[in-house]
Amino acid sequence: MASRKPDEASAATVDQLGGRLRPLLALLADGEVHSGESLGEVLGVSRAAVWKQLQKLESLGLQVASEKGRGYRLCGGLDLLDEPAIRGQLARETLPLLGPLRVFDRVDSTNARMLVALETGAGHCEVLLAEQQTAGRGRRGRTWLSPFGAGISISIGWRFSGGVQLLEGLSLAVGVALARALARFDVPDVRLKWPNDVWCRGRKLAGVLLELSGDLTDRCAVVIGIGLNMRLPAAAADTIGQPWIDLAEVRPGISRNALVAAMLDELLPMLASYPESGFAVWREAWQALDQFAGVEVCLQSAQQRWCGIERGVDASGALLLEIDGTCRAFHGGELSLRPAGSSAL
Ligand code: BTN
């Protein structure tokens, strides 16, 4: 969990796609061939103007194929995020827990935007999503890759009073909620890796970044940022420096909007009750999904490394490591866990 100063987050880059680009994307999203003429007719512009707009799509990293004599096709199609579609799929009990939900076309980082919102007094129960992040933030200063129209990049803002200790173990409970959302789509082999990762088939499927703002001893707020790999284009995927997996490879055809709705159905009730329940009620569920239970692992901080057998977590979410027959508890922060003998995770 990282705490950032608000001014770090204020160099805004928020960008909604201009005039005709969004409608053009919506038309091409089906991945079928559309003639320049029909696109021009629907958009009310000339074929030359359509062609100009198509060039702009390529600058988003999207691939447009031109089929001789037939028209244009968006390679692979697109499954665009849509606020009404998400709201329309939420459970009835979730709706009262949800504030404004906004989908950015392009933004630096949804977490950065949410921190700014929280600083200005807004943000509680709010949800920000992005089709593309240009400076997505990962744990331990890493960047998070979010190409246009791929993956899920979501931030949820939550205010609470009583100090940050009330949120001990929250990132682990978020992991359990995400695993439950994925289970609604029968995604197999989902596991959790302490403290913040969702794994599938031994590789990273999603990551969680919690960021705090406000008075950490009293009234404060948390941003729950989640990034999930889904339909990443091969070129972008090549740049990820760790073993990862794409949801579409495991369970193709899941709608991004349906998945976001399922995530919110699991996450919002959990957040609403967390200050009272704490991690203790999530512990058993987390341990049942623990990727490395009983496995020899190493924990790495910036300066130090500890190796031992992973023995689950305690009631506060601290990792229990058996070192030379004695169990030691390690608290989250900037620690990273990897199986003994492995280098990059
Ligand atoms: C990790 O390093 O595993 C955590 C990745 C968290 C990425 C998400 S994407 C949505 C939100 N906005 C950000 O800038 N980061 C988080």
Side-chain angles (χ1 to χ4, degrees):
M1 211 185 314
S3 177
R4 281 179 207 257
K5 292 186 213 89
D7 57 342
E8 244 178 279
S10 61
T13 357
V14 177
D15 196 0
Q16 294 302 100
L17 295 180
R20 299 203 172 88
L21 214 47
R22 253 273 161 177
L24 179 63
L25 268 181
L27 286 169
L28 291 172
D30 60 9
E32 302 293 330
V33 179
H34 296 262
S35 71
E37 200 173 6
S38 70
L39 292 173
E41 252 168 47
V42 180
L43 298 174
V45 296
S46 67
R47 285 173 66 171
V50 167
W51 189 81
K52 256 195 186 163
Q53 297 293 324
L54 289 169
Q55 303 291 300
K56 291 191 190 161
L57 293 189
E58 304 215 323
S59 73
L60 293 175
L62 300 174
Q63 233 187 315
V64 180
S66 160
E67 311 246 331
K68 210 161 176 230
R70 295 184 63 217
Y72 305 98
R73 180 173 59 82
L74 191 61
C75 302
L78 264 186
D79 175 21
L80 292 167
L81 294 168
D82 179 61
E83 197 234 321
I86 295 167
R87 278 193 189 270
Q89 294 177 76
L90 288 174
R92 204 152 28 98
E93 311 79 66
T94 307
L95 278 167
L97 300 174
L98 176 64
L101 182 155
R102 179 168 182 198
V103 178
F104 292 115
D105 288 329
R106 183 162 43 190
V107 71
D108 50 355
S109 148
T110 53
N111 263 31
R113 295 303 104 222
M114 187 60 84
L115 280 172
V116 171
L118 288 164
E119 288 302 321
T120 61
H124 181 51
C125 308
E126 284 189 24
V127 173
L128 298 179
L129 287 145
E131 290 293 4
Q132 180 184 16
Q133 292 185 117
T134 53
R137 313 208 283 223
R139 279 186 75 225
R140 300 189 294 131
R142 289 181 170 166
T143 53
W144 184 264
L145 191 71
S146 323
F148 191 93
I152 305 285
S153 301
I154 183 171
S155 297
I156 304 171
W158 209 265
R159 286 182 190 285
F160 56 98
S161 45
V164 73
Q165 74 278 2
L166 288 181
L167 299 189
E168 226 172 30
L170 177 64
S171 67
L172 283 74
V174 169
V176 175
L178 293 176
R180 289 181 178 172
L182 291 163
R184 293 179 182 214
F185 300 90
D186 294 323
V187 179
D189 309 321
V190 173
R191 298 277 178 277
L192 300 175
K193 170 177 171 274
W194 188 90
N196 288 21
D197 288 355
V198 179
W199 273 34
C200 182
R201 299 189 174 158
R203 287 175 279 159
K204 180 162 173 168
L205 175 62
V208 178
L209 175 67
L210 298 193
E211 297 189 78
L212 296 164
S213 92
D215 174 359
L216 303 191
T217 64
D218 185 15
R219 294 162 77 85
C220 40
V222 63
V223 178
I224 297 114
I226 299 160
L228 180 138
N229 302 322
M230 186 174 185
R231 290 184 218 142
L232 294 191
D238 285 348
T239 65
I240 302 177
Q242 58 178 320
W244 64 280
I245 193 160
D246 193 302
L247 182 60
E249 176 189 331
V250 190
R251 192 55 92 222
I254 298 176
S255 134
R256 290 167 83 214
N257 292 313
L259 181 57
V260 169
M263 285 161 74
L264 294 175
D265 275 345
E266 296 291 347
L267 286 162
L268 296 183
M270 180 276 286
L271 286 168
S273 61
Y274 202 83
E276 271 186 26
S277 76
F279 178 68
V281 303
W282 295 89
R283 181 183 180 197
E284 203 180 312
W286 192 92
Q287 300 206 127
L289 291 162
D290 184 358
Q291 169 84 35
F292 291 110
V295 172
E296 204 176 331
V297 297
C298 294
L299 264 188
Q300 182 86 46
S301 75
Q303 299 85 19
Q304 241 184 309
R305 181 178 149 99
W306 302 265
C307 295
I309 312 285
E310 207 253 59
R311 296 290 182 211
V313 291
D314 70 12
S316 72
L319 186 84
L320 299 173
L321 208 54
E322 185 186 318
I323 304 171
D324 300 329
T326 309
C327 250
R328 254 185 89 174
F330 291 84
H331 293 268
E334 297 300 290
L335 293 171
S336 83
L337 178 149
R338 59 193 64 173
S342 129
S343 51
L345 278 182

